[in-house]
Amino acid sequence: MSERKVLSKYYPPDFDPSKIGRTRGPKQAGPKVQTVRLMAPYSMKCTSCGEFIYKGRKFNARKETTEEKYYQIAIFRFYIRCTRCSAEITFKTDPKNMDYECERGAKRNFEPWREAKLAEETEEERLDRLEREEAERDAMKELETKVLDAKQEMAIADALDEIRSRNARIERAEKEGKKAEVTVVDVDEARRRQEEEDEEAARKAFAGRSMPDIGEEQITEEEMNDAPVEVPVVAFTRKPKEKKDFGAVLGIKKPSVPAPAPSNRQPAPLSSGLLAGYDSDDD
């Protein structure tokens, strides 16, 4: 078995290193191309098969340096293939917008600079937008304003009608040769007078009502000084627990023992001889 790491190599006997010459191949024409590993810089849709390629998908791409430049910044072009139909997709760097620009083979799902262009509005467009926002105010606020305006118009109309009627009455009295009496009604005074009349009517209504006489309970001093009621004291007695006859439960009969008969014998008198010598302590 041969070695895994060869330390010495075989040289034939007729080996002449001077005969080995260095040959240079032709230089690569066109832009410089190298293979790199990259991730998709944006989400895109393949125009050939409709496959969606999400942002961050890894590819083995060919990187090409183009002759285009943006303020002396080199622009690079990348070639990848669709994961479904293997169609070639090309995109390049965009230093102006600090992003990437899709060239062919796919369609970008979202382009942020387009939204930025739409966001740039002129002075006239800004004024039009402000007018639209002013017209689209809160509906409730507009309704409240309309209600207040309607109330004010109604008050003005009532005041005008009153003035017209008073002027007509004055003119009619002057034609008849009489002095017209103009009465000025104070609204606050009339309201205050009406409130006083309502309070007086309520006071009279409540004063006329008679409350039912339920009577009063009279308590005498004797009832208050009654002797306290004696409460009987309950005494508890301990009852002995009856013993259970387990023999009767098991069917065992105990023999009956006759009660001893009472004896009428009297104890025999002690003999005097036994007690001799115990009547004195002298020896």
Side-chain angles (χ1 to χ4, degrees):
M1 187 175 181
S2 61
E3 297 180 4
R4 185 171 65 87
K5 291 184 178 180
V6 180
L7 300 179
S8 60
K9 297 181 180 180
Y10 172 74
Y11 296 99
D14 55 350
F15 176 71
D16 187 4
S18 60
K19 294 181 179 179
I20 300 175
R22 294 184 177 181
T23 57
R24 295 181 179 180
K27 292 183 178 181
Q28 184 178 2
K32 182 180 179 182
V33 179
Q34 63 183 98
T35 304
V36 295
R37 180 77 170 174
L38 57 79
M39 292 187 294
Y42 51 82
S43 59
M44 63 188 83
K45 178 182 178 182
C46 179
T47 56
S48 299
C49 63
E51 176 72 10
F52 285 94
I53 301 173
Y54 57 87
K55 180 181 178 180
R57 184 70 180 271
K58 293 183 179 180
F59 291 94
N60 292 325
R62 289 185 294 114
K63 177 182 175 183
E64 176 183 316
T65 305
T66 63
E67 296 179 357
E68 301 176 10
K69 287 187 178 182
Y70 177 78
Y71 290 109
Q72 302 300 322
I73 299 174
I75 296 177
F76 301 97
R77 182 179 287 109
F78 299 93
Y79 298 89
I80 60 174
R81 292 194 174 274
C82 177
T83 56
R84 184 178 179 183
C85 64
S86 299
E88 191 176 57
I89 300 172
T90 307
F91 58 90
K92 64 180 180 179
T93 58
D94 187 4
K96 181 179 180 180
N97 298 314
M98 293 182 292
D99 206 344
Y100 292 84
E101 181 182 354
C102 187
E103 287 188 328
R104 57 184 177 85
K107 181 180 179 182
R108 187 166 182 172
N109 296 336
F110 175 72
E111 294 180 349
W113 58 81
R114 290 188 178 180
E115 186 177 359
K117 288 180 180 179
L118 293 175
E120 296 176 359
E121 56 184 2
T122 61
E123 190 68 23
E124 295 180 358
E125 293 176 352
R126 187 179 295 106
L127 292 175
D128 294 341
R129 179 175 56 81
L130 292 175
E131 289 178 359
R132 287 195 303 270
E133 291 178 358
E134 187 68 21
E136 297 173 357
R137 288 182 302 174
D138 190 7
M140 293 299 296
K141 188 175 181 180
E142 291 183 359
L143 181 60
E144 292 175 359
T145 307
K146 289 180 180 179
V147 170
L148 293 176
D149 294 342
K151 289 182 178 180
Q152 188 175 3
E153 290 177 0
M154 291 175 63
I156 293 171
D158 294 340
L160 288 175
D161 292 340
E162 185 178 356
I163 292 171
R164 287 170 184 171
S165 61
R166 185 175 60 186
N167 293 338
R169 188 166 59 253
I170 292 171
E171 289 177 0
R172 187 167 55 253
E174 288 178 354
K175 287 179 181 180
E176 294 176 357
K178 298 180 181 179
K179 186 178 179 181
E181 296 179 358
V182 180
T183 57
V184 180
V185 180
D186 191 357
V187 180
D188 296 336
E189 185 66 23
R191 186 183 296 108
R192 186 178 59 79
R193 192 181 300 108
Q194 183 67 26
E195 290 178 357
E196 290 179 358
E197 292 177 359
D198 294 343
E199 290 179 0
E200 186 67 23
R203 192 180 300 109
K204 290 180 180 180
F206 282 105
R209 294 180 59 184
S210 60
M211 299 297 293
D213 187 8
I214 58 176
E216 296 183 359
E217 185 179 0
Q218 297 181 357
I219 301 174
T220 61
E221 294 182 359
E222 294 179 358
E223 293 179 358
M224 294 178 64
N225 298 329
D226 284 345
V229 180
E230 295 183 0
V231 180
V233 180
V234 181
F236 297 94
T237 57
R238 187 173 182 181
K239 185 179 179 182
K241 188 177 181 182
E242 296 180 358
K243 294 184 179 181
K244 191 174 181 180
D245 190 1
F246 295 100
V249 176
L250 298 175
I252 301 173
K253 296 182 179 180
K254 292 184 179 180
S256 60
V257 180
S263 60
N264 297 327
R265 287 193 314 169
Q266 295 181 358
L270 296 174
S271 61
S272 60
L274 295 175
L275 299 176
Y278 289 95
D279 56 350
S280 177
D281 292 335
D282 297 338
D283 292 340

